[in-house]
Every structure is written in C-alpha cells, then in structure tokens.
Amino acid sequence: MCGIFGVITNQEIPIGKIALEGIKRLEYRGYDSVGIVSQHEGKLFIKKDAGKIDEVHKKLKLDDFPGKVAIAHTRWATHGAPTKVNSHPHTNCTNNIAVVHNGIIENFMTLKKELIRNGHKFRSDTDTEVIPHLIEDKMKEGLDLKESIIEVLKICKGSYGLAILHLDLPDAIIVVRKESPLVIGIEPGKTTYCASDIPAFLPLTRICYILEDCEMAILRAGEVDFFNINTSEKIEKKSQQIEWSIDAAEKGGYKHFMLKEIYEQPTALRQTLKISEDEMKTFAQILLSAENIYITGAGTSLFASLAGKFIISRFLGKFIQAIECSELKIQLKDCLKENSVIIALSQSGETIDTIEAIRWAKKTQNVKILSITNIVGSSITRYSDHVIITRAGPEIGVAATKTYACQVLTLGLISLEIAKLRKQENEEEIQQYEKALKSTPQIIEAFLENNINLIKNTVKNLEKHSNYFFLARGISIGIAKEGGLKLKEVACRFIEGYSAASAKHGPIALVRKNFPIVFIAPPDETYERLIGNVMEFKARGGKIISFVVESDKKITELSDITIRIPQPGNKYFNLFSPITFIPALQLLAYYTAIFHNLNPDKPMNLSKTVTVH
Ligand code: G6P
C-alpha cells in the first residue's frame, strides 16, 4: 500500500528533485509519512517525517539532496503509528544500510526479539526495521550485500517490495519483490528508476521492466541486472514500452486528479471500445460453457461487478453470483465446483484479497480465472487464465472513477459477444444494444458539458447534511452503492447505499424532515415500483434527489432536485446506465469534498492499492 521510488544516474541532475517528484506521483498509495535518503561520499543523507509530502517538503526541503542515488517512500501505516520514527527509510545500528519497504514482514516480532537479544538497537515500531538489522548480521558473517539480502528474505515471511542502499555499494540500488509490485524504468546508459507503479517514472522514461515475485534487480546508472532469489542466478528479462501518454500521470489544467479523471471518462471509454473482439470472444466462450459463474472484486471493482453481473446474465441466461473477494473462499469452500469460472475485477491488479481468492479457487478446483484489470503485468495477470486490460490509462486519484466506467464497459462488450454467439436475440436487437453501449462516451460528454452548475447547486443545497441514503432497484443498486461510496470516500459523508425495496425494512426509521435520499432511477422494469419507494420516503419528509433520464416525468414530479442524464429512456440504454449515470454521482462527491475543504485526491485513511488483508 505504501509507495517506493528510487533513482540512480550518471547525469548531472538534481537527485532530490527527481526523488521528490517520483514519490509524489505515488502519494495515492498512502500519505501518512514520507522519507528520502541519498548517498554521497560515503554518507547517507536522510530526511523523513509524518504528514503529507507537501507539508513535510515545506519543513525539510525534500528536493535538496546530494549525490546521484536516492530512494524514497510514502507510507500507509500498518505497523506503528504515523510518526517520524516510524517513517521510512529505516537503517541498521551502524547506519550504513537504508531500506524502504512496501508490504508486511509477518514474523517481524520473533525476528526483532532475536535481534534485540543479539544486541541490535531498534528505533521504530515498524516491521520493516528488522530488514536492515538482519542484513547487517548476514554481512558480518562474510556474505556480500546481494547474498545477504537473499538469505534475509529466506527467513522473512510476508510480502515486500524493497529498495536498499548500502554505503559499501555506492553505485547501486538493490530492489526485490514478493507480492508487492515493483517496476523498473530505464534511460539506457544514463538513469535507472524503480517504483511501485509505472506513473512514478512515466514523465522520465517509457522503457520499463516488470519485476516478478521472488526476483531481484541490481540497478546501476542506466543499467539493470536481474536475479532469481531462489537460485541466486542471473535471469534475462525483456523490456516493455509503455503506451500511456506522458501527461497521463500529471494533473494537466485540473485542480485535482479526481476531476481530471472524471473528465477523461469519454476518452478512456473510447480507448477501451477499441479492445479487439477476439479478446471479448474468448471470455464469452468460456462463460457460455461454464456451469457456475462468480464475479468478484473489492471496493469500486466490487460495485462494477454488481452492475456487470446483470449486464452479462441479460444475454447469457445464467445466474452470476457477485461475491466480495475477501469472502469468496469462506463462502465457496464447501461448494466450489470444477466447471466454474471466476471473473475478477481489479483496477490495480494488486488487491491482495482478490489475488488470494483467485489463487485459492485455481488451486482448489482448477476453476478458470478471467480477469479485467487496468495494469499491464500486474499480479492478477499472472494468476489468470485470460486477461483483458482496460484502457483507462493511469488513475491517480484515490477514488476510482474512469476505471470503474471502463470495467463496466468491458463487461458490456463481453455480454454483446455472448449475445452474438448465443443467438437468442435477433441481430437487429443486438445492434441496438451495441449502439447504446458505443454511445456511452457521448452521453457522458454531453452531461459533463451542461450540468456542472446544477451539481454545484445541489451540493450547496445539501451542505448541512452529513447522512444520506442512496437507493435503487435491480441493476441500479450497484450504481447507488458506487455513487454513495464516492461521497463517503472523498467527502466524508455517511452513506447507506441500499436496495430501495429493502430500505423500508429498517433504514426508513432514520428518516426525518429533509433527510436526503438519492434515488437512481433509469426507466427500466423496476421504475414503477421505485416510484412507490420514492413516495414512501417523501411521505416521511425526506428530501428527494433523483438521477433520471432526460425524458423522465413521474419521478421528477416527486423530487426536490432532479439530475438528468442525457440519454434515451429505452431498454438498450437502461442496461448500460451503470456507465452513463456514474459521472454525475462522482461529480456530486467531488464538489461536496471541495465545498467542505477536503482534498478529494487524498481521502483520510485510504490507499488506492490495498496489499494487506
Ligand atoms: C481500495 C481503493 C478503491 C478500490 C479498491 C479495489 O480500497 O481505495 O478505490 O476500488 O481498493 O482496488 P482494485 O485495484 O482491486 O480495483
């Protein structure tokens, strides 16, 4: 969940500035504390403190470091409070080894006790600090740095992306990974970078290597060597060219990444529409021959799967069960059958609970894993039988926006392939659905062009409220949950995203005059019943905010505020409303955060990539 960045060069470039800018581009991974260390003329130079990067930079001038090699860390605290001493980098007793770490050393307590018995002095409460001390011990036994790290990792249980500096090896950074992501960027002959994610070095180079589990890399200026840590042997790896545009990881003219990424949705969807039909067909064929189908993910990806299960079963004619990834094993342990398929959704491709779920299912019953992710080479791609990479481009805002839309669109494209193969609908009918799906970018564009003031006024109207219900029926329950999640994440409001029918079995007890209730109401087969639910809440004084299509009349009449999505009110467009309705809800969350002076890019306590259970 933390972010790590490293740079080593033979060029005359400001190493502190590069390290600071690199780690800032990873701040979405955690912002409890930040630290940078460089080495120069036989000394380590360390600056670190608790707080967001800009705050710490103001105090410590994080862009000012001597030398040509540096590693940096931005932390999402797990072991030890977010304090200065617990900030990375961590060093050993003799201060000649510095380590930054993303992951968890699960057996650190036992290792720490042993090290303390042997005379080591610890400064922090972190699990990471055992690593430099253990390396120090191994080197005392006569091993070199590389071999010492390999030996230390044999006794450390858990997950890691590590970057390590040692004063005896002034022209190298050693990095190693297990379960936590690490990528290497290179400007051949000049500068080498390491990072938890590609956007960190995207403005600097597009040539990249993806480190796999149990691989080590020794980075030198403009060069890199790879090793397998189980055998210690050198391995060859092929570099990849990153296709993301250079400005993709920058804010452009936008105040926040979240806003930029909301506005990028039409482009992201158009790019995703270009994915080849063959890739969709492969998924479609596997789903057609599966007996049991599960769809899984966490957070926004889970809510995308709530929409996706409706869209796919519409044409597949089979029930698809959506299960939260952390629950999948416990719920299926006694009933997972061989001819099952799991569709796994993950923006990052690194969410540990999603990875664990699919690895368990594969091992237990050899079920087929079909994954949809936004990140080439991410962990999920290694554990899947087939993968579709969405083309949203890098998403930096902690709250997922454009990647949700692209996930649902991909599921829509798969569903159309299913329809074509299954031939239950006539061709003309399928074409109508296809047309609706392909219109999603235009509908969103039209909405974004004309409705910002309405959203801002709605935010103002709701300024005093900190509790909301987000209600819907059928396919729109997923939209309600995702829209509510956005408001919760970035604007710190309390939301219950719920089935409108079930809301009278409990939640309605909370409704008093002006309690805000958001209804997601495309005119599908649930619409007439939803009217009844709106009336139940209105009768109790609730303030009704409804998201409807352009031509809507009935729910509009019952609503205090109506936000209209510019799309036709027919079954073709209704099916893909989880894509077209969501930008309006994302904007509601964004502007509520702004209204309350909250930074929507850095919600409290959250991290974009969750690599702990
Ligand atoms: C975290 C992020 C969410 C994200 C979820 C799943 O909670 O803050 O924005 O939806 O993880 O992440 P994934 O990368 O698997 O989609």
Side-chain angles (χ1 to χ4, degrees):
M1 317 200 31
C2 306
I4 64 181
F5 182 81
V7 49
I8 182 160
T9 186
N10 53 24
Q11 304 290 294
E12 291 305 321
I13 50 174
I15 205 78
K17 187 167 176 278
I18 306 275
L20 174 63
E21 285 170 1
I23 203 63
K24 250 191 94 64
R25 285 190 283 267
L26 292 173
E27 203 178 8
Y28 65 84
R29 303 178 70 89
Y31 25 84
D32 288 331
S33 69
V34 57
I36 300 180
V37 52
S38 79
Q39 70 159 306
H40 183 57
E41 295 179 345
K43 268 198 209 149
L44 291 178
F45 293 82
I46 298 180
K47 294 181 188 178
K48 61 180 191 175
D49 209 343
K52 299 204 174 87
I53 297 180
D54 284 343
E55 293 159 14
V56 178
H57 174 45
K58 257 190 207 150
K59 276 197 282 184
L60 302 181
K61 291 207 167 62
L62 290 177
D63 57 351
D64 185 16
F65 279 88
K68 290 183 178 291
V69 51
I71 55 177
H73 187 269
T74 184
R75 180 166 185 247
W76 189 86
T78 57
H79 294 59
T83 58
K84 179 172 179 175
V85 279
N86 288 333
S87 311
H88 298 218
H90 292 287
T91 53
N92 57 324
C93 297
T94 48
N95 284 320
N96 57 345
I97 304 167
V99 173
V100 294
H101 171 214
N102 167 28
I104 290 181
I105 305 302
E106 287 160 6
N107 57 339
F108 84 100
M109 280 307 276
T110 321
L111 296 169
K112 187 170 174 175
K113 276 186 196 148
E114 177 81 15
L115 283 160
I116 290 171
R117 261 201 303 278
N118 294 338
H120 285 266
K121 297 264 179 298
F122 276 74
R123 301 173 186 109
S124 77
D125 303 321
T126 65
D127 51 331
T128 305
E129 199 183 349
V130 297
I131 296 171
H133 291 281
L134 288 167
I135 297 174
E136 179 181 313
D137 273 4
K138 288 291 168 198
M139 291 187 80
K140 273 192 202 143
E141 289 170 17
L143 297 178
D144 68 12
L145 179 60
K146 174 183 156 231
E147 288 307 323
S148 300
I149 295 171
I150 290 176
E151 287 306 308
V152 165
L153 295 178
K154 283 184 188 157
I155 52 174
C156 288
K157 293 202 179 95
S159 58
Y160 42 79
L162 287 167
I164 301 167
L165 294 184
H166 193 300
L167 286 182
D168 289 353
L169 207 64
D171 59 351
I173 302 174
I174 298 194
V175 300
V176 57
R177 81 157 271 178
K178 188 181 148 225
E179 289 170 25
S180 300
L182 251 185
V183 284
I184 315 291
I186 188 159
E187 290 177 77
K190 293 180 181 166
T191 307
T192 311
Y193 309 93
C194 61
S196 304
D197 205 349
I198 292 166
F201 52 67
L202 194 59
L204 304 161
T205 181
R206 283 151 163 263
I207 308 171
C208 138
Y209 295 91
I210 291 162
L211 217 58
E212 304 285 339
D213 273 355
C214 301
E215 286 181 357
M216 169 186 271
I218 302 186
L219 278 54
R220 293 199 159 79
E223 293 170 27
V224 56
D225 290 315
F226 297 98
F227 301 87
N228 177 316
I229 61 168
N230 296 323
T231 62
S232 290
E233 276 167 18
K234 199 166 171 183
I235 47 176
E236 292 305 319
K237 285 181 87 72
K238 272 206 181 133
S239 65
Q240 303 190 12
Q241 189 76 20
I242 307 302
E243 284 169 13
W244 288 343
S245 79
I246 289 178
D247 62 2
E250 307 288 344
K251 268 188 229 159
Y254 292 90
K255 203 161 171 231
H256 295 100
F257 279 111
M258 184 179 178
L259 189 62
K260 174 179 180 240
E261 288 158 4
I262 291 172
Y263 272 85
E264 277 174 352
Q265 284 175 117
T267 310
L269 290 168
R270 285 192 180 106
Q271 290 301 327
T272 302
L273 280 167
K274 287 185 193 156
I275 297 174
S276 78
E277 257 185 42
D278 285 351
E279 289 183 59
M280 305 296 165
K281 201 175 270 168
T282 306
F283 272 48
Q285 278 158 339
I286 292 170
L287 292 171
L288 278 163
S289 58
E291 254 168 57
N292 304 293
I293 302 170
Y294 306 98
I295 185 163
T296 194
T300 293
S301 293
L302 176 67
F303 295 152
S305 71
L306 292 185
K309 76 171 198 160
F310 275 92
I311 295 174
I312 292 190
S313 38
R314 167 73 190 77
F315 300 109
L316 187 64
K318 291 181 197 172
F319 176 70
I320 299 179
Q321 192 172 348
I323 309 184
E324 185 185 325
C325 54
S326 55
E327 287 288 308
L328 190 131
K329 178 176 168 186
I330 196 79
Q331 291 192 23
L332 295 182
K333 71 178 171 17
D334 300 320
C335 54
L336 184 64
K337 304 240 163 50
E338 238 175 86
N339 191 13
S340 300
V341 171
I342 296 180
I343 308 171
L345 304 183
S346 175
Q347 182 284 127
S348 62
E350 302 291 347
T351 299
I352 192 94
D353 286 336
T354 310
I355 305 283
E356 192 183 72
I358 60 174
R359 290 184 76 178
W360 168 80
K362 184 98 216 144
K363 204 166 126 207
T364 312
Q365 285 296 1
N366 195 23
V367 305
K368 281 231 157 49
I369 310 295
L370 307 179
S371 293
I372 299 174
T373 179
N374 195 40
I375 307 293
V376 181
S378 56
S379 299
I380 204 168
T381 62
R382 278 190 289 283
Y383 306 121
S384 306
D385 295 284
H386 298 277
V387 179
I388 293 177
I389 307 283
T390 52
R391 299 199 184 157
E395 189 178 68
I396 313 288
V398 168
T401 51
K402 59 177 177 170
T403 53
Y404 162 90
C406 289
Q407 285 172 339
V408 183
L409 178 83
T410 305
L411 292 162
L413 289 168
I414 295 165
S415 76
L416 291 177
E417 282 311 313
I418 293 171
K420 288 177 198 164
L421 290 169
R422 197 159 166 251
K423 297 192 169 75
Q424 295 287 305
E425 262 86 6
N426 66 42
E427 258 175 48
E428 204 187 310
E429 190 77 352
I430 298 173
Q431 275 168 12
Q432 292 285 357
Y433 280 110
E434 198 158 12
K435 196 172 142 217
L437 187 62
K438 290 189 172 162
S439 310
T440 54
Q442 284 129 262
I443 295 168
I444 294 175
E445 238 156 29
F447 180 84
L448 294 174
E449 256 168 47
N450 299 314
N451 290 281
I452 301 307
N453 284 340
L454 172 62
I455 298 281
K456 285 184 180 167
N457 290 338
T458 307
V459 167
K460 204 154 182 322
N461 190 303
L462 296 171
E463 74 179 291
K464 293 201 185 74
H465 299 283
S466 43
N467 299 306
Y468 299 69
F469 288 138
F470 274 54
L471 306 181
R473 298 178 82 113
I475 193 170
S476 303
I477 293 178
I479 315 179
K481 285 184 184 282
E482 173 57 12
L485 178 69
K486 291 302 93 153
L487 201 57
K488 208 180 261 171
E489 284 177 309
V490 304
C492 264
R493 311 285 98 185
F494 180 79
I495 318 301
E496 178 100 89
Y498 221 74
S499 134
S502 289
K504 63 172 127 349
H505 300 286
I508 203 164
L510 272 70
V511 174
R512 304 284 182 279
K513 194 166 168 40
N514 278 334
F515 188 106
I517 301 127
V518 172
F519 282 93
I520 315 298
D524 60 16
E525 64 270 41
T526 68
Y527 184 82
E528 293 300 326
R529 290 240 163 119
L530 193 74
I531 294 176
N533 301 134
V534 174
M535 291 177 80
E536 288 154 11
F537 281 84
K538 198 173 168 60
R540 285 159 180 84
K543 182 184 279 192
I544 310 293
I545 305 106
S546 59
F547 289 72
V548 297
V549 297
E550 197 70 67
S551 56
D552 186 90
K553 287 205 172 68
K554 292 183 187 167
I555 288 194
T556 302
E557 272 172 24
L558 298 171
S559 304
D560 298 284
I561 301 172
T562 310
I563 293 164
R564 313 181 93 76
I565 311 301
Q567 71 182 48
N570 64 41
K571 65 175 181 181
Y572 310 111
F573 286 84
N574 288 340
L575 188 65
F576 303 118
S577 55
I579 305 171
T580 47
F581 274 52
I582 206 68
L585 291 149
Q586 294 164 345
L587 282 171
L588 184 72
Y590 174 80
Y591 283 111
T592 308
I594 300 299
F595 191 85
H596 293 283
N597 276 328
L598 295 163
N599 180 348
D601 283 347
K602 289 176 200 151
M604 242 168 92
N605 304 330
L606 294 183
S607 166
K608 189 159 185 70
T609 310
V610 177
T611 49
V612 294
H613 292 291

